[in-house]
Each structure stands twice: as structure tokens, then as C-alpha cells.
Amino acid sequence: MEKIVVDGGRKLEGEAHVQGSKNASLPIIGATILTGGENVLHMCPILKDTITACEILNLLGCKTVWQGKTLIIDSGGVCRNEISKCLMNKMRSSIIFLGAILARCGEATVYFPGGCDIGSRPIDLHIASLKKMGVEISESCGELRCRVSGSRIHGAEIFLSFPSVGATENILLAAATARGETVINNAAIEPEIKDLCDYLNKCGAKIFGGGTQVIRIKGVEKLTPCEYNIMPDRIVAATLLCGVAVTGGEVLLNSVRPSHLSSVLPVLADMGCVVRACENTIFLKAKNFLISSSPIRTMPYPGFPTDLQPIMMALACVSRGTTIFVETIFENRFRHVPELRRLGASIKIEGRVAVVEGVKMLRGASVYATDLRGGASLLVAALAAAGKTEIFKVCYIDRGYEKIEQQFSKLGASVFRV
Ligand code: EPZ
């Protein structure tokens, strides 16, 4: 079993380039199905999840070619409309291919998605919204058979009970070439949604209000392929900042959008770091010790991102004082806590609340990644821990981070994969 080995306690310093966003690239890869031609996606991160997305596209009849960080997708040959259970199980975001396949083919067979076990991950909002747009969906033993009643998906006025990122993306993919207009009320406003809307509009869609709570989509007859630059990954950017901060180091991140981290940078400043943000760079310099921040409550964007809760918790483990975390998005997102405790962290959990008492020093140990961001949390903690840490199940981390060990070793960490 592959593992990452960290010899912690080194101060990290240097400059880092931030990879393209996993959570922007996945829906955009799905959206290429709508264009029926050759798309060129630059800054596409090479990850387990984007490779799985390409497997799905190839299965549907597309051609996908990687040229470095550029992914070329020709969706002219789409001839199938089923995603296998095995592929659906590999990642949660496989469900957002449903809207695009239905819009292109008129019918689709998929399965309840897999992905990180951070909660039940229901798809009721996806299904209810697609039904309102004229899709008949029958479910049996986890298989979803979907068919567009009539010749085309039709527009609808949709009210999301929760600003679900995935449901917003699925509706956008179904609505872009639907007959008539669709309005999404209480849409997710994460930056990845805006990136998807910008890609679709570059293909000829008529989407207004992307990145706001009300998105209006006027269906068009056809979308044409385009060349597009995917946005930088805000979660990877923050992970690099936290990895440096936990070692008392300093870093200059380039090719990043500070505005995407408007709820995160103040927390790092609160903890004693000097943080300077310019147009597409962030400079961080940490003190030799961190102080605990005020309570961190995860919220939909622009609130504190749930994906950073595990990673920020690693910082809190070695900060002076007590930090309270409230996880409001996913009901099972503290699975990294027992592993952090193996490193000597002092954390108490009560339901969706975690109370972290900072300790003077963490100590290296053998730990297991439990999910994508939980695994990243262990790596950040290991960078601060005295001695050697072995992190197993690195396959989880590879779903969202490009060679994370190389990203940190370039900043001076003693970290390698064996
Ligand atoms: C996306 O997941 C991201 N994944 C997640 O990142 C991220 O944590 C999440 O948005 C929140 O920001 C991708 O973009 C691939 P949601 P998604 O639908 O779309 C409930 C990572 O580490 N819900 O906004 O699944 C759901 O249970 C991953 O990169 C329903 O109840 O998130 C959860 O409580 C982890 N019914 C809440 O909404 C539905 O039909 C947020 O889910 C859909 C969602």
C-alpha cells in the first residue's frame, strides 16, 4: 500500500503555483458533452477524479487527450447514455453528468453516486429539479433510469431548499439547451458555479446571474465547443497556506484568486499570520507560534468552506488556546479526528461540534487518510509534528491534489511517497 512519509518540524519557505480547480473542472468536463465538438480546457488538474471523469466521457463515446495540463475533449462521438455503477461509485460528482447526458441524448441510466463518506450525500434536489424540467426518473436498487418526456427538456422555475453546488450544476447542464427559460432560486454561489457558467456562455449559452443566488438560463438550440482556462483551486491554495503556517514559515502563492478565500484569509490573520493579498497572489508569513481563532462555522460560500474544516483543524491542534469548529454542511465530516489524535491532538467531539485544545507539539505516527480533505489535514499536521509520520490510503488525497508531496517538498518539507 502506497504511503506518504513526512519528517516534520521543518520551516517551509518559497513560492508555489496553484493547480486548476478540481471542483470547477469536473462540471466543465461534464458540460463538454453538450457541445458535440472539440473543447480545449487549460489548467485542468491531473487528478484521480478528473481521470475518472475522462473514463466516463470515453465510455459515452467522447475522445479525451491530455497534453500536460491541457485536456482536449471531443464529444462529437457521444453514442451511449449509461454510466456504469463502478464509475459512479468512484466519485460523487459523477451525478452531475446526468443533466448533460439527458440534454444531449434524451435519456440516461446512472446509479446513486459514491465519493467521500462525509455524509449521506443525497441527490433528492437533483432529482426533484430534473423532474420539474420534464425528466421521468425511475429508481430501483440504486439504478436511476431517466428519460426526457417529449422531444426536449423544458425550462422551469426551481427553488432549491438548500444552495446545493451539485444540484445547481446539474440544473445548469440540463437547462442550457432546454426549450424555454429556467430560473434557479437559492442557487449555490460558489466560484466554481460562476466558472461553469462562464464556460457555458463561451460555448453560446445564455446564462445570467452565474455566481448569484438567482440564475436565469434562456435555453438555446445548440452549444459550440470552445477553449477555456479553468479557475485556480481555492481549497488547494488554502491547504498550501495552512501547511506553511503550521511550520512558522512563509510563502508566496501565485496564480490564485484571493477573493475566493475571503472567509479564510482573515482566520489565518486572526491566528497571527501576516497575510497580504494582491490581484492574483497571496503572501503569508507565520510567527513561530499560532494563536487559536474565534469559532469556525462552515457555511455555503462565501462562508467558511466545509472543505477546509479538516485542514484548518490541523492548524488549531498546535495553536495556543481553544478553537471551536461547527460543521453545518456534512453530518460525518470529523472522520479525520481519531487520526489527528494519534498524532497527539486534543480534540473533543459532540455531534457537529469539535473543540480543539492546542498542544505544544504533535508527534509523528502512522495514520490513515479517511477521505480527501481529511487526508490533507493529516499531511498538514504531520508537517508540524516532531519525528516521522506515515500517511496511508493516499489514494484519497490524490483525488484532489496533484502530487501533494511534491508541492510541499518544493517548499522545503521532508516529504516523499513510497
Ligand atoms: C460539492 O459537493 C463539492 N464537490 C464538495 O467538495 C463540497 O464540500 C460541497 O460542494 C459543498 O461546498 C464537488 O464540487 C465535486 P452540495 P456537493 O450538493 O455538490 C445536501 C471536496 O472535498 N444535499 O452543496 O455534493 C448534502 O447532503 C468535496 O472537494 C441534499 O440534501 O455538495 C450536504 O449536506 C467534498 N440533497 C449539502 O447539501 C441534494 O440533492 C451540501 O451538498 C444535494 C445536496
Side-chain angles (χ1 to χ4, degrees), residues 22-23 26 92-93 118 120-126 162-167 169 190 306-307 329-331 333 372-373:
K22 165 179 90 81
N23 291 349
L26 291 171
R92 157 86 186 169
S93 50
I118 54 178
S120 58
R121 315 293 295 270
I123 55 171
D124 55 311
L125 299 177
H126 298 243
F162 181 89
S164 157
V165 170
E169 290 165 346
E190 272 71 1
T306 174
D307 292 349
I329 306 291
F330 291 108
E331 69 273 23
R333 198 162 204 175
L372 165 52
R373 307 303 174 183

Side-chain angles (χ1 to χ4, degrees), residues 188-363:
I189 64 172
E190 272 71 1
E192 293 78 16
I193 300 289
K194 174 84 169 58
D195 219 32
L196 174 60
C197 292
D198 290 348
Y199 164 79
L200 287 168
N201 281 338
K202 197 169 180 187
C203 295
K206 289 191 176 7
I207 300 173
F208 310 93
T212 71
Q213 286 171 320
V214 179
I215 306 179
R216 195 175 292 279
I217 308 109
K218 291 184 185 312
V220 295
E221 285 297 319
K222 187 166 171 26
L223 293 182
T224 48
C226 76
E227 188 162 358
Y228 191 75
N229 292 328
I230 287 167
M231 63 174 255
D233 193 308
R234 59 194 170 108
I235 306 301
V236 170
T239 305
L240 292 168
L241 293 173
C242 290
V244 170
V246 82
T247 67
E250 67 177 76
V251 67
L252 177 66
L253 289 191
N254 49 48
S255 69
V256 66
R257 292 191 199 157
S259 60
H260 290 170
L261 292 170
S262 55
S263 61
V264 178
L265 300 183
V267 173
L268 290 167
D270 211 13
M271 297 174 84
C273 299
V274 172
V275 180
R276 276 198 298 275
C278 298
E279 199 184 330
N280 58 2
T281 61
I282 297 174
F283 172 78
L284 174 140
K285 181 173 175 50
K287 287 186 190 150
N288 287 336
F289 62 87
L290 296 167
I291 44 181
S292 62
S293 81
S294 40
I296 293 172
R297 171 187 294 271
T298 64
M299 293 295 282
Y301 193 86
F304 191 90
T306 174
D307 292 349
L308 283 176
Q309 173 262 106
I311 293 147
M312 192 56 78
M313 190 179 285
L315 240 53
C317 289
V318 291
S319 302
R320 291 183 185 175
T322 302
T323 311
I324 294 172
F325 289 84
V326 184
E327 174 52 61
T328 71
I329 306 291
F330 291 108
E331 69 273 23
N332 186 30
R333 198 162 204 175
F334 287 144
R335 298 175 69 227
H336 48 284
V337 169
E339 298 305 308
L340 287 172
R341 286 180 183 138
R342 286 176 197 255
L343 296 167
S346 169
I347 308 170
K348 291 189 180 63
I349 298 176
E350 184 60 47
R352 292 201 179 204
V353 178
V355 180
V356 182
E357 295 290 345
V359 295
K360 271 207 176 342
M361 176 66 73
L362 295 175
R363 298 220 163 282

Side-chain angles (χ1 to χ4, degrees), residues 353-392:
V353 178
V355 180
V356 182
E357 295 290 345
V359 295
K360 271 207 176 342
M361 176 66 73
L362 295 175
R363 298 220 163 282
S366 293
V367 291
Y368 288 78
T370 52
D371 53 72
L372 165 52
R373 307 303 174 183
S377 166
L378 298 177
L379 181 49
V380 168
L383 291 169
K388 188 172 87 165
T389 297
E390 295 177 316
I391 303 172
F392 294 91

